[in-house]
Amino acid sequence: QVQLVESGGGLVQAGGSLRLSCAASGRTFSSYAMGWFRQAAGKEREFVAAISRSGGNTYYADSVKGRFTISRDNAKNTVYLQMNSLKPEDAAVYYCAADRIFEVVTRGRGGIDYWGKGTLVTVSL
């Protein structure tokens, strides 16, 4: 079993930056591809970014490419999402996800093995 706990959410002004963290409890963290998803009020959960087991491959939604960076530190069992140039439309609950297959994460939320409970990001004008 893998338990995921997100942190780092909060209130930030448009144009600002925020770094989210997702801590995993399992000893097999390096066996999982990781991803970030988000869900804004009144909208469906959407894919944001994914990273492969060793961090060699990343994939981003077009809406965040060039602004967000996903990374991982397997020694710390943690995945990060560095968010720069934040926009009001980035405001959402951000969820961490884990799956043994990278392509499952990049395709979307269907069939993903594990989810965190989310951390709220609010962006003010």
Side-chain angles (χ1 to χ4, degrees), residues 2-124:
V2 175
Q3 302 297 133
L4 305 174
V5 181
E6 303 95 335
S7 63
L11 175 63
V12 63
Q13 289 187 201
S17 298
L18 205 60
R19 190 193 195 197
L20 306 183
S21 298
C22 173
S25 64
R27 294 181 178 180
T28 58
F29 176 73
S30 62
S31 297
Y32 289 86
M34 304 293 296
W36 287 95
F37 293 75
R38 67 187 183 187
Q39 186 169 22
K43 297 182 179 180
E44 295 184 347
R45 191 172 300 186
E46 65 177 352
F47 170 79
V48 176
I51 188 166
S52 60
R53 290 180 177 86
S54 298
N57 296 103
T58 58
Y59 185 74
Y60 299 90
D62 288 342
S63 60
V64 306
K65 192 171 185 178
R67 299 188 298 120
F68 291 11
T69 302
I70 187 170
S71 62
R72 67 191 297 160
D73 186 340
N74 287 350
K76 295 182 178 180
N77 279 17
T78 303
V79 63
Y80 306 94
L81 184 68
Q82 178 65 47
M83 305 185 294
N84 298 327
S85 301
L86 282 162
K87 304 175 181 180
E89 53 262 44
D90 294 319
V93 176
Y94 282 72
Y95 298 90
C96 180
D99 197 280
R100 292 187 179 274
I101 303 173
F102 180 63
E103 290 77 11
V104 170
V105 180
T106 63
R107 286 200 305 268
R109 64 183 186 271
I112 290 175
D113 290 337
Y114 302 103
W115 292 92
K117 293 184 178 180
T119 185
L120 179 64
V121 173
T122 303
V123 183
S124 63

